[in-house]
Amino acid sequence: MTGGAVLRSEPLPRTVRLLLLAQVVNRLGAFSLPFLTALICADHGASLATAGLVSAVFGLATIPSRLAGGGLADRIGRRTTIVLGLCGCATAQLAIAASTSLTWAVTGAVLLGLAFELYEPPSQAIIGESVPERQRVRAFSLFSAALAAGGMGAGLLAALLGHWDLRWLFVTDAATCLACALLIRLALPRDRPAPPGADQDGTAVRPLRDRALLGVLATGTAYALINQQTVMTLPLALARQGLPAAYTGLLFTAAAATTVLAQPLVRLPWATRLTTPGALALAHLLLAAGLTGYALARTLPALLASAAVWSLGDLLVMGRIYALVTDLAPPGGSGRYLAVFGTSWGIAATLAPVLGTQLLARAGTTTLWSTMAALCLLLAALHLRVTPESPGLDNVAEAVRRRVPDAA
């Protein structure tokens, strides 16, 4: 096998493949959230400040939601928790769609936040525990690709329904949540969780006392803050540069397409041989390059190239980081470990709009993206120094290193 060839991969377990399909179905409808503030302003006469506050409260609500998802996954089972979360999201979205007052709409938004992240820890735990260590990076990378593929279809549906009535966005999102819940309920086997609070050896599972996990959580939160700038602040940054708002959708589509099409890269021998700290450092160098492109680019082709480079880094991060967290967890505790790590996204969703808009308003787009790129370089250095190696995955990397010359 040559150095640039793609290693032949074992097929993923049926459970994981069904979960990936369900994620695509669910993601197809996940376009209502960006329109929450628009609906509150248009239908209920709220000010922009009020709408922004509601959005921030939603972000805060996702933090206990994520923690509850991990706890429930390890106590009542993964499948049950996923179905519960999806049905809760559907109920909240229908409440928002049917709201006749601002109070009703805000209540629906808070309930949506409390149900929104119940799905993630158990679904990630299923992936981490259903595949052998050597396949975890690939499986989590495909999970990211499923989100991206569904997101591309979601954008098209949002464009169609948004011209009709914003409330139908929430109705459609609720329908896809229920369809996903039904698929999970019928297709996934019922799992039997470990006894509450203990792993298979009877040792208490306490993620917040695991220093290795807390270190990964710290760097993961910094990454999530940067990542959210490319979602929440990018449209404002383009407008400030005098570029068409339509560019935002094109950049999001280019990023999603790159995530899907670049999946074979994670199976290249040189990528598989990288240790976890080395892979995360390389990923953040790519992220820095993409953000530098955003700082310097003034044309659509340059912006599209920057989005593609950023997405390559994002692909490496998502596959490796969730595999690392799963590997750090004791048996039966991956749901809670993934939940604690996942709070990084709730923190980012709350802080990123404030930090991004302040930088944009006070210093401009070039400084915004240059600052984010510099933070990525700092994180690349930190990963090499403080990120633990994932024992199982890095042993696999060594095994692959020995395999490659034999297959040449």
Side-chain angles (χ1 to χ4, degrees), residues 340-360:
V340 168
F341 175 74
T343 59
S344 58
W345 293 100
I347 296 170
T350 305
L351 297 180
V354 177
L355 296 176
T357 52
Q358 286 296 313
L359 267 175
L360 192 61

Side-chain angles (χ1 to χ4, degrees), residues 3-339:
V6 177
L7 291 176
R8 185 175 299 172
S9 300
E10 303 171 33
L12 292 173
R14 176 178 177 273
T15 297
V16 175
R17 286 184 277 119
L18 286 170
L19 190 60
L20 293 175
L21 174 61
Q23 187 72 327
V24 172
V25 173
N26 185 44
R27 188 67 173 178
L28 278 172
F31 47 69
S32 63
L33 188 58
F35 295 91
L36 176 60
T37 53
L39 184 142
I40 289 175
C41 291
D43 286 19
H44 301 297
S47 66
L48 286 175
T50 299
L53 181 61
V54 172
S55 183
V57 170
F58 168 85
L60 283 173
T62 64
I63 297 175
S65 173
R66 175 81 68 155
L67 294 173
L72 289 171
D74 290 340
R75 286 177 171 81
I76 67 174
R78 277 79 163 123
R79 188 185 72 174
T80 302
T81 304
I82 291 173
V83 172
L84 179 66
L86 290 169
C87 291
C89 284
T91 301
Q93 287 158 344
L94 290 174
I96 293 171
S99 62
T100 57
S101 67
L102 179 60
T103 301
W104 189 347
V106 171
T107 302
V110 173
L111 292 175
L112 179 60
L114 291 173
F116 197 74
E117 296 289 353
L118 291 177
Y119 175 97
E120 291 296 335
S123 61
Q124 292 162 356
I126 289 174
I127 292 175
E129 295 176 359
S130 298
V131 300
E133 292 170 342
R134 63 183 177 275
Q135 284 190 301
R136 281 180 184 162
V137 172
R138 175 179 170 235
F140 280 114
S141 296
L142 286 172
F143 192 70
S144 178
L147 288 172
M152 287 189 286
L156 295 175
L157 285 173
L160 292 173
L161 295 172
H163 288 293
W164 188 10
D165 189 327
L166 290 179
R167 292 174 184 265
W168 282 107
L169 295 173
F170 292 88
V171 173
T172 306
D173 201 345
T176 58
C177 281
L178 293 174
C180 184
L182 181 61
L183 179 59
I184 293 291
R185 177 63 180 79
L186 296 177
L188 288 187
R190 182 177 181 180
D191 53 301
R192 297 181 180 275
D199 64 17
Q200 292 176 353
D201 299 322
T203 306
V205 178
R206 297 187 178 94
L208 293 176
R209 295 188 181 183
D210 189 326
R211 292 184 178 181
L213 176 64
L214 295 179
V216 176
L217 174 61
T219 55
T221 300
Y223 160 74
L225 280 168
I226 297 167
N227 178 285
Q228 288 300 291
Q229 300 304 326
T230 67
V231 176
M232 298 180 176
T233 315
L234 180 59
L236 299 175
L238 291 176
R240 192 179 178 90
Q241 291 176 286
L243 297 172
Y247 281 10
T248 304
L250 294 175
L251 294 177
F252 288 165
T253 302
T258 301
T259 299
V260 174
L261 296 175
Q263 287 298 310
L265 292 179
V266 301
R267 302 200 306 275
L268 290 174
W270 67 265
T272 312
R273 288 197 298 267
L274 290 171
T275 63
T276 298
L280 290 173
L282 173 61
H284 282 80
L285 291 177
L286 289 170
L287 295 174
L291 290 166
T292 301
Y294 279 161
L296 301 176
R298 295 296 182 269
T299 64
L300 179 58
L303 288 168
L304 290 172
S306 300
V309 173
W310 160 270
S311 296
L312 291 176
D314 188 61
L315 174 62
L316 282 176
V317 170
M318 298 301 283
R320 286 280 183 160
I321 201 70
Y322 284 105
L324 170 60
V325 173
T326 303
D327 204 53
L328 290 175
S334 59
R336 274 164 282 179
Y337 267 60
L338 288 162

